[in-house]
Amino acid sequence: MTERASEDVAARTAEAMERADAAGRGAGVRLLDVGPGRARVGMAVAERHVNGHGICHGGYLFLLADAALAYASNSYGTSAVASGADIAFLRPVPLGAELVAEAVERARTGRSGLYDVTIRSGELVVAELRGRTRQVPGLPTPV
């Protein structure tokens, strides 16, 4: 497949996933960029994202990183889901912060993938996620 064709598959798959992702839409996740094995998503920390300490709830940080992981791992047009992930919360994130999560494929072999996701607020790294994915035979391909 040519590089342009690969980029087109990633874009079409991401558009279909974005239309179907009620959870991401409800949380305010925005797709910023996608390509084969990579993706960037953004989210502005709103009142609904803040916990009792007045900072972004870790669950929303995980959701944001997982969204980037999903777009990156499905970018080849074959359905894949997370099979596990570990996250490190490195800094508190205040209300109003603009977050960007960037997923990068580290390895893909057979039906398994390994991805690193970095969440930044401006230049500051606020969280890191290492995610594992698995392609699922029989799961409809996003269209």
Side-chain angles (χ1 to χ4, degrees):
M1 186 178 298
T2 68
E3 184 176 333
R4 181 69 209 147
S6 296
E7 292 285 338
D8 289 345
V9 168
R12 283 194 314 274
T13 302
E15 288 169 8
M17 290 176 65
E18 192 174 28
R19 279 192 308 272
D21 185 8
R25 200 171 34 259
V29 174
R30 303 176 319 276
L31 176 64
L32 303 175
D33 183 43
V34 68
R38 63 177 177 75
R40 286 185 19 205
V41 297
M43 182 182 82
V45 178
E47 189 68 36
R48 69 179 180 252
H49 301 121
V50 176
N51 65 19
H53 296 289
I55 58 176
C56 187
H57 189 289
Y60 284 107
L61 293 172
F62 191 97
L63 182 144
L64 182 65
D66 185 58
L69 171 68
Y71 286 118
S73 65
N74 282 274
S75 63
Y76 300 101
T78 302
S79 292
V81 296
S83 61
D86 300 293
I87 192 165
F89 303 111
L90 304 172
R91 289 186 170 81
V93 179
L95 176 66
E98 182 63 40
L99 300 174
V100 174
E102 183 172 7
V104 177
E105 183 179 272
R106 296 298 178 208
R108 188 168 57 106
T109 181
R111 295 183 355 199
S112 298
L114 183 66
Y115 295 81
D116 286 333
V117 184
T118 301
I119 303 176
R120 289 184 174 83
S121 176
E123 295 299 314
L124 290 176
V125 174
V126 299
E128 291 277 353
L129 179 135
R130 163 106 351 147
R132 298 168 302 283
T133 63
R134 188 80 171 161
Q135 292 177 346
V136 181
L139 187 65
T141 302
V143 290

